[in-house]
Amino acid sequence: MIDAGVRVRTDENVHPEVVSFLRAGGKDIRDVKEDRWTGMEDVMIISRAEEEQRIIVTHDRDFGQWLIAQARVNVGIMYLRPDHIDPRFTIETLQALFQYDRPDPPFTVGAERQKQRVNVRIRTLS
């Protein structure tokens, strides 16, 4: 899902350890906190991610809901359940997502890890 060619924008609620993990794997990552966009409205982050051709990784379900409502937007959203704030839990969830092929934007991916199982829901919006 996040292969070598994918450019990612991590939301402000994604832990710095997760950002470091993705970078260590050679991913092209831009982080909302590092760019000092903390508090920026979701619609602006989506707009900039679209301009930069990046998918968004977040714990905030509002991104996906907004994307579904605005079908004209051409970006991908990876929503990791809010109880995945622990960076180890988030990293393990992302590792499970790596086995999936990335759909063409616009799309939403919801991932919820429960014990040793990751439930994934992929929704293409085109």
Side-chain angles (χ1 to χ4, degrees), residues 66-79:
W66 193 92
L67 184 65
I68 291 166
Q70 304 293 322
R72 62 185 164 74
V73 176
N74 193 27
V75 71
I77 307 289
M78 292 182 65
Y79 166 64

Side-chain angles (χ1 to χ4, degrees), residues 32-81:
V32 166
K33 294 176 298 304
E34 292 172 355
D35 288 341
R36 299 179 186 204
W37 293 1
T38 303
M40 182 181 282
E41 291 186 27
D42 293 350
V43 66
M44 293 301 300
I45 293 170
I46 290 170
S47 177
R48 293 205 179 164
E50 185 175 33
E51 289 170 11
E52 300 170 339
Q53 297 181 346
R54 294 180 183 276
I55 64 170
I56 297 170
V57 174
T58 185
H59 295 288
D60 182 353
R61 93 173 346 142
D62 291 345
F63 278 91
Q65 291 170 342
W66 193 92
L67 184 65
I68 291 166
Q70 304 293 322
R72 62 185 164 74
V73 176
N74 193 27
V75 71
I77 307 289
M78 292 182 65
Y79 166 64
L80 307 175
R81 293 293 300 228

Side-chain angles (χ1 to χ4, degrees), residues 1 7 9 24 26 30 38 43 53-54 63 68 76 84 89 96 101-102 106 118 126:
M1 181 89 40
R7 297 163 47 99
R9 166 65 64 185
R30 295 302 307 238
T38 303
V43 66
Q53 297 181 346
R54 294 180 183 276
F63 278 91
I68 291 166
H84 293 166
F89 208 63
D101 291 331
R102 179 177 43 95
V118 177
S126 53

